[in-house]
Amino acid sequence: MKRVSREWRNDGQKVRQELLKKEAVIFDLDGTLVDSMWMWKAIDMEYLGRYGYDCPDFLQREIEGMSFSETAAYFKNTFQLPDTVEEIKKAWVDMSIEKYRWEVPLKEGARRFLEFLRDSGIRAGIATSNGREMVDAVMRSLGISSYFQVVATACEVAAGKPAPDIYLNVAERLGVAPKQCMVFEDVPAGILAGKAAGMTVCAVEDHFSIPMREEKRQLADFYIQNYYELLVRGAAS
């Protein structure tokens, strides 16, 4: 266990060194910047339960990286749901909005890292597969809107992750070349999207994606357990 922690700590130092060469950082939201993946699994179970379905084990991997609209269409087609795509999306918004406002925290060390980026003059953006209403709710609740110059959802681009569209969109709006951007992501589809965009990618530990840990480490340029590793030289907290 000590050996694994030391590897993670070393990655944190390398990420910090690489980060200081960049002009912008782009974050995924759920599971990367905020601790919310637990909520979405519960919502999927509750929603499908309304129609007599159990939540299949393959579901989360199937919808990984899809936009909010793409995910709703997948649910409708896969489970033959009577609701329209817009009705499915509205149900999810209604089920999640209060949780986003009151129950979803930032990931460990994230606020301090955002302050570090701001103080270092490094621009910041969000590239999320989530819906705009929910993104706005959690950002207002956590008081982090001012740290970001650009916030984009996958519904605003042609294709969701693992396509690079959303990361290229955010970089363009930030006015930064892709090679000058570092991406933080928690799942393989997002990591692939950042790499396809020509960006440096750092994978972030999340309880939800622990079974994918080795895949994430192989796909990404770097891997961290939490954001404190980027702030305290030689130690993780």
Side-chain angles (χ1 to χ4, degrees), residues 75-91:
F75 266 66
K76 179 172 178 59
N77 295 330
T78 301
F79 301 103
Q80 296 297 297
L81 301 175
D83 291 350
T84 66
V85 168
E86 290 305 314
E87 287 170 338
I88 294 170
K89 290 164 62 177
K90 184 180 184 305

Side-chain angles (χ1 to χ4, degrees), residues 6-148:
R6 186 159 55 248
E7 289 172 356
W8 272 331
R9 185 163 61 242
N10 287 342
D11 250 12
Q13 294 176 36
K14 293 174 184 176
V15 175
R16 183 187 176 101
Q17 291 171 359
E18 185 68 18
L19 179 66
L20 293 174
K21 304 173 186 176
K22 303 296 185 183
E23 297 177 17
V25 166
I26 308 176
F27 295 90
D28 172 54
L29 184 66
D30 293 289
T32 299
L33 193 61
V34 300
D35 187 6
S36 57
M37 295 305 294
W38 61 269
M39 178 191 78
W40 280 110
K41 184 174 182 179
I43 286 173
D44 290 342
M45 293 173 64
E46 180 182 341
Y47 182 77
L48 290 175
R50 295 178 181 180
Y51 298 97
Y53 290 104
D54 292 326
C55 193
D57 293 338
F58 63 79
L59 180 63
Q60 293 302 320
R61 190 58 190 255
E62 285 288 308
I63 63 176
E64 179 186 310
M66 289 184 183
S67 73
F68 198 52
S69 296
E70 288 171 336
T71 304
Y74 174 90
F75 266 66
K76 179 172 178 59
N77 295 330
T78 301
F79 301 103
Q80 296 297 297
L81 301 175
D83 291 350
T84 66
V85 168
E86 290 305 314
E87 287 170 338
I88 294 170
K89 290 164 62 177
K90 184 180 184 305
W92 289 343
V93 170
D94 292 343
M95 295 168 73
S96 67
I97 203 76
E98 289 304 305
K99 286 183 172 62
Y100 266 121
R101 285 174 176 158
W102 306 112
E103 299 179 40
V104 172
L106 282 167
K107 299 292 288 284
E108 290 184 78
R111 188 178 301 278
R112 286 184 57 192
F113 182 54
L114 291 173
E115 292 170 352
F116 166 78
L117 295 177
R118 179 195 60 198
D119 295 345
S120 300
I122 298 172
R123 298 174 66 76
I126 288 178
T128 177
S129 299
N130 213 333
R132 171 64 65 172
E133 187 173 356
M134 292 169 288
V135 175
D136 291 344
V138 73
M139 291 182 69
R140 284 195 300 267
S141 173
L142 296 171
I144 59 173
S145 299
S146 65
Y147 293 108
F148 299 98

Side-chain angles (χ1 to χ4, degrees), residues 115-198:
E115 292 170 352
F116 166 78
L117 295 177
R118 179 195 60 198
D119 295 345
S120 300
I122 298 172
R123 298 174 66 76
I126 288 178
T128 177
S129 299
N130 213 333
R132 171 64 65 172
E133 187 173 356
M134 292 169 288
V135 175
D136 291 344
V138 73
M139 291 182 69
R140 284 195 300 267
S141 173
L142 296 171
I144 59 173
S145 299
S146 65
Y147 293 108
F148 299 98
Q149 288 75 54
V150 174
V151 177
T153 73
C155 292
E156 300 171 34
V157 296
K161 304 168 187 176
D165 301 33
I166 191 167
Y167 281 113
L168 293 173
N169 176 281
V170 174
E172 181 178 5
R173 291 165 61 186
L174 285 170
V176 177
K179 67 180 180 179
Q180 289 299 320
C181 297
M182 179 175 284
V183 165
F184 286 84
E185 269 282 1
D186 70 305
V187 292
I191 295 169
L192 289 169
K195 295 296 291 181

